[in-house]
Amino acid sequence: MTDCILAADIGTTSLKVGLISMKGDLVSLATARNLQKDARFCGSNWLQTLRFAFNKLKNKSECNIIGMCVSGNGPTVVTENGLTIRWDEETPILDDFSEKDNPLIKFSLFLPKILHLKNNFPKEFEKSKYIFSGPEYVLYQLTGNPITILPENRYEAAYWTDEALKICGIPTEKMPPFVEIGDFAGNLLPEQSKMLDLPKNLPVFCGGPDFVMAIIGSGTNSVGDIVDRCGTSEGINICINKQIFAEGFRTLPSPFPNLWNISLLIPNSNKMTKDGRVEVAATGIKKIKSILQENNIILSDVMVVSGGQGKDNYLNKIKAQKMNLKIAKANNCVHAELLGDFCAALKGMGYFDSILDASKKCIKKVIQNY
């Protein structure tokens, strides 16, 4: 029987789970569409969707599941009863903050959504003991432990600070404490072990936002590395060694210390034609290459693809041609988020000292020939 990690990623439209061997090979994969009888409470269905997806996995009997890790879409906000403010909902900043206070709120990816929840759903906000940021809601249901996964210390302002919470009138006790990717979330609760047919007291580990887990699981851990996350939306992420700000691009800390991530975001790219999608991405690559050259950074000639659209060989072929890049898959798999979960679990289990070590040693970029 092969030792495996159970990795789960909560996407915008579907949830995927994978059994990954200790060699980093995807043994089995299953997906299930998120049950959204009421989109406003879609988070309340994530655990049931996880069960459906897990029940669809093949080769379970051949695997000895020794750990589990959960990641998911963000920045999404969920209350204890599952009321959900999704990452793609527009939540404008209110005008009733001073010029001094507003930057603390505008810089946060979460506070506008938490304020939207507080102001538009006051009963649910008041009644909820904790407010969760995405996958932490499922981890809470699995383990009973409230946490917030901070991708890296530099992300605190992009989440929230005590000062910013005070300005917004949000009680600090509602916001679960920060932990790191790969930290131990807790053991699987008996009732969840029974529902999911998983080993009793299975250790569960912290994943994080899906785009961060894709960076880890794609091996985008050296300056110039590129990963194209292409699912419901698309984001081309490049590893850089300093902050670079450019119009049309977003710069955030990398999950790896002393590195940064600059990204081109293409919302709802799955609704575009293939040629149109590639044209936008190729134009962005051309622009970022010029920006990086100005900063003495050389863009890699290999781009890792991740996500559902990454399985489209025709799309990958025209990307390679239009962008003049080689296309690769991490460990020959397009689900880099799951591989990121795998790395996080191994770090949590003590196999590696850091997420960076796990990413460098477990992830190999396999060039695709089209």
Side-chain angles (χ1 to χ4, degrees), residues 90-107:
E90 288 191 21
T91 49
I93 294 288
L94 300 178
D95 294 327
D96 53 356
F97 293 103
S98 71
E99 198 171 309
K100 175 186 173 185
D101 293 339
N102 219 29
L104 279 170
I105 300 159
K106 288 180 72 174
F107 188 73

Side-chain angles (χ1 to χ4, degrees), residues 123-230:
K123 290 183 180 178
E124 286 85 352
F125 179 84
E126 187 64 32
K127 190 164 61 172
S128 188
K129 185 176 181 181
Y130 301 110
I131 305 298
F132 299 95
S133 51
E136 292 89 336
Y137 180 57
V138 171
L139 288 167
Y140 178 61
Q141 293 177 299
L142 292 174
T143 68
N145 296 324
I147 54 171
T148 300
I149 304 162
L150 196 65
E152 210 263 356
N153 289 336
R154 292 169 294 169
Y155 269 84
E156 186 174 3
Y159 276 61
W160 52 79
T161 63
D162 286 349
E163 182 183 1
L165 291 174
K166 184 177 180 181
I167 291 169
C168 295
I170 299 168
T172 55
E173 60 270 19
K174 278 191 180 289
M175 310 312 297
F178 289 136
V179 299
E180 297 179 358
I181 290 174
D183 277 1
F184 175 62
N187 290 315
L188 196 62
L189 293 169
E191 60 267 31
Q192 308 300 6
S193 172
K194 184 176 180 180
M195 184 192 80
L196 296 169
D197 191 25
L198 287 170
K200 293 180 180 178
N201 296 316
L202 182 73
V204 182
F205 299 94
C206 300
D210 49 8
F211 87 94
V212 171
M213 302 315 290
I215 289 170
I216 295 168
S218 62
T220 306
N221 50 44
S222 296
V223 177
D225 284 351
I226 322 167
V227 57
D228 181 6
R229 291 185 59 249
C230 37

